[in-house]
Amino acid sequence: MSETAARREIEKLREEIRHHDRKYYVDAAAEISDRDYDKLMERLKSLEACHADLVTPDSPTQRVGEQPVEHLASVDHAVPMMSIDNTYSIEELRQYGVRVAKLLPDEPIEWVVELKVDGAAVAVTYVDSLLARAATRGNGRVGDDITHNLRTFPDVPLRLTGENVPAVFEVRGEVYMRNSDLAAVNAELVEQAKLAGKEPELLANPRNAAAGAVRLLDPRKCAARRLRLFCHGVGQIDGSLAAKTHMEFLAEVRRFGLVPTPHVECFPSFDAAVAHCEELIERLHELDFEVDGLVLKVNRFDQRDRLGATSKSPRWAIAYKWEKYEATTRLLDIRVQVGKTGAITPVADLEPVELAGTTVSRASLHNADEIERKDVRIGDVVVVEKAGKIIPHIVRVEVHRRDGDLPKFPFPKQCPECGTAVEKDEGGVYIRCPNHACPAQIRERIRYYATRNAMDIEGLGDKLVDQLVADGLVKDYGDLYDLTLDQLVDLERMGKKSSENLLAQIEVSKQRGLARLLNALSIRHVGGRVATVLAEHFGSIDALCAASSEELTNVDEVGPIIAKSVHEYLHSAHGTTTIDRLAACGVGMTSPQRRAAEGPLVGKTVVVTGTLEKYKRDEIKELIASLGGRAASSVSKKTDFVVAGEEAGSKLDKARSLGVRVLTEAEFDALIGDAAASDDVI
């Protein structure tokens, strides 16, 4: 082959390989198999071996150097790598948000929420789009040169792609190791040690493995650790970025061929960002890498510039962290539970182990996909983690300690309670029992129906529900309203007085209103907030049933997934029968509304904060709604007034900073006194 032909084919192969690297690592949408990718790489290596003068530093074949470096050189950071202030308290987090709002008065501030990946911080610099240097954080001003190791990362391009890349572009990020890769590497180390007749030196955890590997002198050893990089910040720039916000910057990073931190979202207010943090924490078990917190950042770069920094940290970002505790124990068994919507959830039974001051003997496995992804098998030695308020979960399996060929867990194909064939959610991860008459589902639905945020039936506890379902007295919600005194007094631990009290509570529950009822029905994706929104918008179950999916989607806070779920439930045989039965029992299905167009709360937005003496939080929100007001969760310029109880926190501070009227509980009572007692409220 002529050199000209070889040059053309080499360039074509390099472009193909770079394209497939991007599709695999950046877009998570591989277009070819691993074997076909390897064939491309083998062909490129073969051509370059025959034409050594055509080999360039940015060729995909040049990731791993043949010789280790003699030592790690020092690198001065042109832009210091500052640390971020931490907080371990939601209240302190909210106070931080108030402080930033005071520094940018009368300005809307968008907030970004990012995962705080638990790894090693690095700075990676490209010059004229070519990888030029990578360095550790060090002391923030001087770090170690680890370019030889970063070149081995499969998701770090040797040449950036896309247009308008600055002449000098430095990106900051976190080197990390996936839990699955840690397990695989440890298993390999055990096999290598056996062949050498030595004791294996195992990696303790992903963070230490990443931090140690990036500072190795031999890049071949680093490559064996399977490290990766998530990008989350900007350093030195010679030229200009098109991005004016953090979200735009992450999109630009992706266009250049780098991998930004995943699951990043932007919110219009700090309160909304904090609320998202509390929801996101519950989903961290889905990740295959370690996270030790969440980072909240001001989105706009011009606002960041005005906020500036202290001597140690930027004022425009804060990390919300939690203490993490890990322990190693053995998985004794996997049991499955059936929930109120039919979801079959696996639970791990563990050898009891001390974790964060408590004895842990169970951990959630969440769903079948998680068992498969983590390759969890009964008899395995597993690492269990508890972080903050997160329920204990299995982080990874210590595969190298697996005794023999343990069988994979056979996730049930039939409901363990009623034997019905299970079904997997379309496009989802949960496997469900579709049988609404399943005894396990009935128990869980009745339990939830009686809870405080639903129909609030005091005295209808778990054990009593178990008896009622087991004896066939309750098969659906309507059966509760047909219970008699004679039936109840015959049950275990149910005397005449307690039975009469329960019947009275069941009768009172008929008047809870449409919002409580919608929440109580266990419609998938419908919780208390969505139920309230639907009840306020439609006013009655008849109007809600008459709405199309499109009309439901147009309601604020109701997206297409929720709309589809609600519409399907209300028009299903089960849903229709349930609604008709409850209506026949006299259960109210309308939403209380004001008839009068006047009053102290009509059209007003009210925020309640702190502990009140007279009202529970749900009670005062219902009262506000019944008087024509809107009970909001966060304070803004549109808030009409704040009702502040004892230990009111950041919402009170924000109200004062914005000049929003603040009422004590007594002042609120005085304001609504006449209206609450009038006949205008139904």
Side-chain angles (χ1 to χ4, degrees):
M1 179 183 289
S2 69
E3 184 162 320
T4 300
R7 184 189 302 275
R8 282 199 300 267
E9 186 174 354
I10 284 172
E11 285 303 319
K12 181 182 177 184
L13 285 167
R14 288 173 181 170
E15 287 304 312
E16 277 191 79
I17 291 170
R18 289 175 185 138
H19 168 77
H20 291 302
D21 282 343
R22 179 187 179 91
K23 297 303 293 183
Y24 185 87
Y25 293 106
V26 182
D27 300 334
E31 294 179 342
I32 60 174
S33 68
D34 290 349
R35 180 63 190 132
D36 287 340
Y37 179 89
D38 290 341
K39 286 180 180 178
L40 293 175
M41 187 66 80
E42 288 164 7
R43 176 59 178 165
L44 178 59
K45 287 179 180 178
S46 174
L47 286 172
E48 288 184 346
C50 296
H51 300 273
D53 56 319
L54 297 180
V55 178
T56 59
D58 63 327
S59 173
T61 64
Q62 302 303 299
R63 285 198 171 277
V64 184
E66 293 300 321
Q67 297 296 326
V69 299
E70 294 182 1
H71 66 278
L72 297 181
S74 295
V75 174
D76 291 329
H77 294 300
V79 177
M81 293 184 71
M82 305 182 79
S83 60
I84 297 176
D85 275 343
N86 296 330
T87 178
Y88 290 82
S89 159
I90 280 286
E91 188 54 40
E92 289 179 0
L93 185 64
R94 294 185 187 279
Q95 290 171 3
Y96 162 79
V98 171
R99 291 197 300 273
V100 173
K102 288 179 179 178
L103 293 173
L104 296 174
D106 303 320
E107 289 188 40
I109 305 173
E110 291 183 339
W111 288 90
V112 173
V113 177
E114 280 185 341
L115 300 173
K116 188 177 184 301
V117 181
D118 197 7
V122 298
V124 184
T125 303
Y126 289 83
V127 177
D128 295 330
S129 294
L130 294 177
L131 176 60
R133 185 177 63 253
T136 64
R137 180 182 180 277
N139 64 10
R141 297 187 177 277
V142 180
D144 293 324
D145 190 330
I146 54 170
T147 311
H148 62 295
N149 285 329
L150 262 291
R151 290 179 65 86
T152 71
F153 288 25
D155 60 344
V156 174
L158 302 179
R159 174 189 288 275
L160 296 181
T161 57
E163 300 178 351
N164 303 317
V165 180
V168 176
F169 176 67
E170 180 190 330
V171 66
R172 269 78 188 273
E174 201 79 12
V175 172
Y176 72 100
M177 188 179 201
R178 298 187 303 183
N179 278 299
S180 56
D181 285 332
L182 178 73
V185 169
N186 273 340
E188 291 170 2
L189 292 174
V190 168
E191 290 303 313
Q192 292 167 9
K194 284 181 180 178
L195 293 175
K198 299 178 180 178
E199 285 296 317
E201 295 182 9
L202 301 176
L203 305 177
N205 56 63
R207 185 188 187 285
N208 291 350
V214 293
R215 301 186 75 257
L216 291 170
L217 299 179
D218 190 340
R220 291 167 295 187
K221 291 182 178 179
C222 181
R225 295 296 184 260
R226 310 183 189 186
L227 303 183
R228 301 183 181 222
L229 175 71
F230 281 141
C231 301
H232 57 61
V234 61
Q236 180 187 13
I237 298 294
D238 184 359
S240 61
L241 285 171
K244 304 301 181 186
T245 68
H246 187 68
M247 297 301 288
E248 291 174 359
F249 168 73
L250 294 181
E252 204 155 12
V253 163
R254 182 179 291 278
R255 283 200 302 275
F256 293 163
L258 292 156
V259 183
T261 302
H263 309 298
V264 180
E265 293 192 46
C266 186
F267 299 90
S269 70
F270 193 78
D271 283 345
V274 171
H276 176 70
C277 288
E278 295 179 296
E279 295 174 3
L280 185 57
I281 287 171
E282 300 299 325
R283 306 203 307 271
L284 296 182
H285 64 86
E286 300 169 3
L287 305 174
D288 192 22
F289 53 88
E290 294 294 284
V291 172
D292 65 346
L294 302 172
V295 180
L296 287 83
K297 300 178 178 179
V298 172
N299 189 33
R300 281 170 43 189
F301 289 164
D302 64 318
Q303 290 180 325
R304 291 185 182 184
D305 291 340
R306 280 180 280 136
L307 286 168
T310 65
S311 60
K312 296 181 179 180
S313 306
R315 293 191 181 92
W316 45 264
I318 191 169
Y320 172 45
K321 300 181 68 174
W322 46 79
E323 296 290 349
K324 292 202 317 181
Y325 303 90
E326 282 189 355
T328 302
T329 187
R330 191 171 295 278
L331 175 62
L332 302 177
D333 196 8
I334 297 176
R335 296 178 293 106
V336 293
Q337 300 174 339
V338 183
K340 59 188 175 70
T341 62
I344 298 177
T345 305
V347 177
D349 284 337
L350 308 169
E351 281 187 359
V353 62
E354 288 295 316
L355 196 60
T358 60
T359 300
V360 174
S361 59
R362 291 195 306 171
S364 175
L365 284 167
H366 301 284
N367 53 64
D369 282 5
E370 179 152 319
I371 293 176
E372 181 69 23
R373 177 169 59 84
K374 294 180 178 177
D375 192 20
V376 180
R377 307 185 188 191
I378 296 172
D380 270 333
V381 174
V382 296
V383 176
V384 184
E385 178 183 279
K386 181 172 173 54
K389 296 181 180 179
I390 307 171
I391 60 174
H393 66 281
I394 291 176
V395 176
R396 65 182 177 275
V397 174
E398 300 285 65
V399 179
H400 61 280
R401 297 178 64 179
R402 181 173 285 166
D403 295 330
D405 187 18
L406 297 176
K408 290 192 173 187
F409 177 71
F411 206 86
K413 291 181 169 40
Q414 288 83 33
C415 173
E417 185 83 18
C418 68
T420 302
V422 299
E423 299 175 355
K424 188 170 185 178
D425 289 351
E426 184 179 350
V429 298
Y430 287 100
I431 293 174
R432 299 179 191 274
C433 168
N435 177 20
H436 287 287
C438 172
Q441 289 188 56
I442 293 173
R443 285 195 301 269
E444 294 304 315
R445 288 200 299 266
I446 298 299
R447 285 172 181 167
Y448 187 76
Y449 189 86
T451 58
R452 179 176 163 185
N453 291 332
M455 301 302 271
D456 195 13
I457 304 176
E458 189 175 343
L460 189 56
D462 290 353
K463 291 184 178 179
L464 179 55
V465 170
D466 290 346
Q467 287 190 74
L468 292 171
V469 175
D471 291 354
L473 296 176
V474 173
K475 297 184 180 67
D476 57 39
Y477 308 126
D479 286 342
L480 289 172
Y481 299 98
D482 288 340
L483 288 172
T484 66
L485 185 61
D486 289 341
Q487 289 173 324
L488 292 176
V489 294
D490 285 340
L491 297 176
E492 185 179 345
R493 290 180 293 184
M494 287 296 291
K496 182 179 180 182
K497 184 63 176 177
S498 57
S499 298
E500 289 174 341
N501 290 340
L502 176 59
L503 291 173
Q505 285 291 316
I506 292 174
E507 185 65 25
V508 170
S509 74
K510 294 179 180 180
Q511 308 306 320
R512 300 297 186 208
L514 180 60
R516 291 280 199 95
L517 177 63
L518 291 175
N519 183 27
L521 292 177
S522 293
I523 304 171
R524 285 176 60 191
H525 308 301
V526 176
R529 177 59 188 164
V530 171
T532 299
V533 169
L534 290 172
E536 290 178 350
H537 184 88
F538 291 100
S540 71
I541 195 69
D542 290 340
L544 181 59
C545 289
S548 65
S549 291
E550 292 73 21
E551 289 172 320
L552 288 167
T553 304
N554 291 331
V555 178
D556 286 342
E557 301 183 48
V558 177
I561 293 176
I562 296 174
K564 182 174 183 289
S565 178
V566 172
H567 191 268
E568 287 182 351
Y569 177 88
L570 293 175
H571 292 83
S572 67
H574 170 72
T576 302
T577 301
T578 297
I579 296 298
D580 289 346
R581 177 82 191 282
L582 289 174
C585 291
V587 176
M589 299 187 182
T590 59
S591 181
Q593 298 177 0
R594 282 185 59 88
R595 292 197 184 101
E598 299 179 356
L601 301 188
V602 173
K604 303 292 186 183
T605 299
V606 185
V607 173
V608 181
T609 183
T611 303
L612 304 177
E613 292 182 5
K614 181 178 177 181
Y615 304 100
K616 295 176 182 178
R617 186 58 57 90
D618 291 338
E619 291 173 345
I620 194 169
K621 286 183 177 181
E622 286 184 7
L623 178 59
I624 291 167
S626 70
L627 295 173
R630 175 176 174 267
S633 58
S634 60
V635 179
S636 69
K637 291 181 180 179
K638 296 181 179 180
T639 303
D640 291 287
F641 55 83
V642 169
V643 180
E646 293 294 323
E647 299 181 4
S650 59
K651 293 180 184 179
L652 177 58
D653 294 335
K654 187 168 185 179
R656 287 170 174 164
S657 70
L658 294 176
V660 174
R661 183 183 177 191
V662 177
L663 300 178
T664 65
E665 186 175 357
E667 289 170 334
F668 173 77
D669 280 341
L671 177 68
I672 67 166
D674 293 339
S678 74
D679 292 334
D680 288 335
V681 181
I682 59 171

